[in-house]
Amino acid sequence: MHALISGASVAGPVLAHFLSRRGWRVTVVERAADLRAGDGGHAVDLFGPAVEVIERMGLLAEVEAARTRNDTITLLRYGKKPITVETADLAAGISARHVEIMRGTLAGLLHDRTRKDVDYRFGTVITEIHGTVAVLSDGDVISADLIVGADGLHSGVRRLAFGPEERFRHFLGAYLAVYTLPDVLGTGPTVAAFTAPGVAATVYPTLTPGLSRALFLTRTTEEIPRTRDAIRHLIGDRLGPQVSQVLAHLDAAGDLYFDDISQIRMDSWSRGRITLVGDAGYGPGPAVGGGTSLAASGAYVLASEIAASPDDVPGALRRYESTMAGPVRHSRKIGPSVLASIVPRSRAQVWVTAQVMRLLPRLPQPARAGLTSFGGGPAAMLDGLTLKSSP
Ligand SMILES: Cc1cc2nc3c(=O)[nH]c(=O)nc-3n(C[C@H](O)[C@H](O)[C@H](O)COP(=O)(O)OP(=O)(O)OC[C@H]3O[C@@H](n4cnc5c(N)ncnc54)[C@H](O)[C@@H]3O)c2cc1C
């Protein structure tokens, strides 16, 4: 049996691991020319079942050792005293089991774990799909028993097999910009946070001393051009002079990520022997929806169902969808709820956020959990999901 997977980030390698262990031949094509390992990308969260998936891959010790060390967060308010809280307090309502790690580091560890058993082809994409035959950009033609798009929000497999992205994209009314810059604020290992009505920013350490990464979330219902000027226009000078200093490095950034915050909403994400996993099929919104945990858990569920009936792939895909339907439906509430909590709508909400941060460490655990659960939170969406024994 031969599986062709598009995308070598989170969902792709997790699925590749469990399928190859069941004796499947697995080819993974990845658009990027090489692995974006090490310090690349942004921090992502593994909650509950996703941590268990990593454990079942035998990777928990490595993942925990490589986790980020963003242990405190400081809210910086122009002309006022900073407020510092432990990130564990902020995550109190999210999950008892949680690891934060850079996405590039996680992708690197997943690749290392699977590279011996999986045919990885970097700098390669699927250009055509005819039934179960895929044409690759390296000239190869693969006749596969299973074709999987694990290729993220702007999935190529989704476009080829299900139609244009616009059909499935649901804009949440916000934008996300992330880029690397020198540690101009001198905040070192601390995460600095800023809020004003309609906008929130964090500046956090990277794994490279002397470098930080800035992340901006802004709320707007308009669709805007993806230009650096548009970012400057959206943020303005509302976050004070320190953030203006950060924005001054925007033009020099070579790794700018700037996209709308949208969810992928599909009634069904499988057709015959083709399916989607992770952000490609049910992205809950970058940075606000717990997409990494959903991607890792979804890949595991898919592998389990294939393992249960390798000779009936379409049946396995139907069971995979029905198991994931609840968590996916729940996940669609998370992004709007997180955005509402962390990007204040008014001056009054900016003030309330500061007071909550100030109070948080002094509250008993249940009260802390209540205040930080973000409407149930990314972990809660996976609560009803029981992982079958290792596929
Ligand atoms: C700035 C930012 C911050 C985020 N913060 C968080 C967070 O704090 N917590 C959290 O849980 N999640 C966060 N996320 C979301 C998280 O990164 C995703 O939910 C998660 O990575 C999904 O994994 P995936 O494997 O489904 O897809 P992705 O990680 O998106 O991987 C898709 C892979 O497919 C490749 N690819 C794309 N197109 C093609 C193609 N046509 N052919 C072949 N390969 C292709 C890409 O290069 C990539 O390697 C954030 C996302 C962003 C952008």
Side-chain angles (χ1 to χ4, degrees), residues 3-13 15 27-30 126 129 146-162 264 266 269-271 273-283 295 298-299 302 317 320:
L4 172 62
I5 301 173
S6 173
S9 171
V10 180
L15 177 63
T27 303
V28 177
V29 294
E30 163 58 53
I126 300 175
I129 299 176
L146 170 69
I147 299 179
V148 182
D151 43 4
L153 273 181
H154 306 298
S155 166
V157 171
R158 187 181 58 229
R159 181 174 33 79
L160 290 171
F162 297 90
I264 298 301
M266 303 177 80
W269 53 85
S270 307
R271 180 166 296 165
R273 290 168 173 268
I274 304 175
T275 193
L276 304 172
V277 65
D279 274 11
Y282 35 84
L302 173 55
L317 300 189
Y320 154 60

Side-chain angles (χ1 to χ4, degrees), residues 199-220:
V199 54
T202 54
V203 179
Y204 54 91
T206 69
L207 301 179
T208 309
L211 286 184
S212 7
R213 197 159 283 130
L215 184 151
F216 291 95
L217 285 169
T218 63
R219 216 196 276 277
T220 169

